[in-house]
Amino acid sequence: MYNDILTIGPVTIHGYGLMIGIGVVVALLVGDYRANKRGLNGDLIYGLTITTVILGFTAAKLLYIITEWQNFIANPKAFLSMSGFVVYGGIIGGLLTIWGYCKWKKMDFYRYLDLMVVSVAFAQGFGRLGCFLAGCCYGKPTDAFWGITFSHSDFAPNGIALIPTQLIMSAGDFLIAFLLIWFGKREYKKAQTMGLYLILYSVGRFLVEFLRNDERGAVGSLSTSQFIAIFMLLLGLFMFFVLSPYVEKKAITKEDV
């Protein structure tokens, strides 16, 4: 695959950055559309999305540095590139950003959280397509017909058929996004959409990690992402089955008062 899509003079459009940009635009449009459908303030979505993207990427980079701290100390400049992120850092950073933004603007945190998580899933899907174009987050060698062979990647080994883990994760992210939309059309309960996202993403990510072959941090026999996925899964189950009923009951109590 080719990460350099187009070069005009000194400017080069990279596939990784392009896909991230498309993902952000789609996240904005989807968030605005769904906000208006749900009777929420669509204008607030733009500020919320941009803030979440910036701080989410920052958190994802920080977690990557933490997991690769020895390499960071040896060569800090290598970590200034647009590659090298841990998605779970972005999720955690995004959650905290949405909470802080909603507190600041006096918005209903759980309603906007459930709204934004669909946009997040779409953005992740495009981001993984960027990974595919760049060749990062690559899979193990395979003899299967669906193996992908890179020839100009700065990350994946070139000339070897690899499991297309980037495409698998991208398809999974898009599938999660559409499942969340479908789920949100049912009887709505605050925090359940976010809980379902964490459940689906954590399980999928845990499984896909077995297929990856790129260098990344580890905790014992598990990759860093698999280790974090366990706790994200528990958080998702808590939000879906415990927190959501509590928030709904608390809201009903306030209405009665």
Side-chain angles (χ1 to χ4, degrees):
M1 300 308 114
Y2 295 89
N3 190 36
D4 296 344
I5 301 297
L6 178 65
T7 299
I8 302 176
V11 179
T12 299
I13 299 176
H14 299 288
Y16 187 83
L18 177 63
M19 288 297 108
I20 289 177
I22 292 174
V24 172
V25 172
V26 171
L28 282 168
L29 295 176
V30 170
D32 180 54
Y33 174 78
R34 297 185 71 243
N36 292 324
K37 292 281 287 185
R38 287 173 172 260
L40 300 175
N41 191 336
D43 293 337
L44 292 173
I45 291 298
Y46 290 89
L48 178 59
T49 301
I50 296 301
T51 305
T52 302
V53 167
I54 294 174
L55 296 183
F57 269 106
T58 301
K61 175 64 78 172
L62 287 175
L63 186 55
Y64 177 70
I65 290 175
I66 291 172
T67 59
E68 298 287 338
W69 65 271
Q70 291 179 323
N71 293 327
F72 174 74
I73 293 175
N75 187 14
K77 289 185 179 180
F79 287 74
L80 297 177
S81 67
M82 276 298 294
S83 63
F85 297 94
V86 176
V87 172
Y88 280 118
I91 293 175
I92 295 170
L95 276 169
L96 294 175
T97 301
I98 295 172
W99 176 81
Y101 194 93
C102 288
K103 283 287 185 180
W104 176 40
K105 293 290 186 178
K106 294 181 171 54
M107 299 155 59
D108 189 325
F109 169 61
Y110 292 109
R111 292 197 70 188
Y112 279 91
L113 179 64
D114 286 338
L115 178 79
M116 286 296 297
V117 72
V118 174
S119 295
V120 168
F122 274 116
Q124 286 180 317
F126 283 102
R128 287 303 179 185
L129 291 178
C131 290
F132 177 68
L133 293 175
C136 58
C137 307
Y138 55 89
K140 295 179 179 179
T142 180
D143 293 325
F145 70 93
W146 42 277
I148 297 294
T149 302
F150 292 90
S151 57
H152 296 81
S153 175
D154 293 328
F155 303 98
N158 294 299
I160 302 174
L162 306 172
I163 297 174
T165 47
Q166 310 96 326
L167 297 182
I168 294 173
M169 288 188 284
S170 178
D173 289 328
F174 287 129
L175 178 60
I176 289 174
F178 286 112
L179 285 174
L180 294 180
I181 292 175
W182 169 80
F183 180 79
K185 292 180 178 179
R186 303 174 58 184
E187 183 179 353
Y188 176 73
K189 292 183 180 180
K190 294 179 181 180
Q192 278 198 330
T193 304
M194 182 65 201
L196 182 60
Y197 164 79
L198 290 174
I199 293 169
L200 295 174
Y201 183 83
S202 297
V203 172
R205 183 61 185 273
F206 189 92
L207 296 175
V208 171
E209 283 291 304
F210 287 114
L211 305 177
R212 287 178 59 173
N213 202 39
D214 55 315
E215 293 186 10
R216 56 205 189 284
V219 179
S221 60
L222 301 176
S223 70
T224 302
S225 293
Q226 286 179 317
F227 181 74
I228 298 175
I230 296 172
F231 297 97
M232 290 294 103
L233 173 61
L234 294 175
L235 177 60
L237 292 170
F238 171 78
M239 293 186 72
F240 194 93
F241 292 106
V242 180
L243 181 61
S244 178
Y246 171 77
V247 171
E248 288 293 315
K249 183 179 179 180
K250 188 176 180 180
I252 293 173
T253 302
K254 283 186 177 180
E255 291 177 0
D256 292 340
V257 173

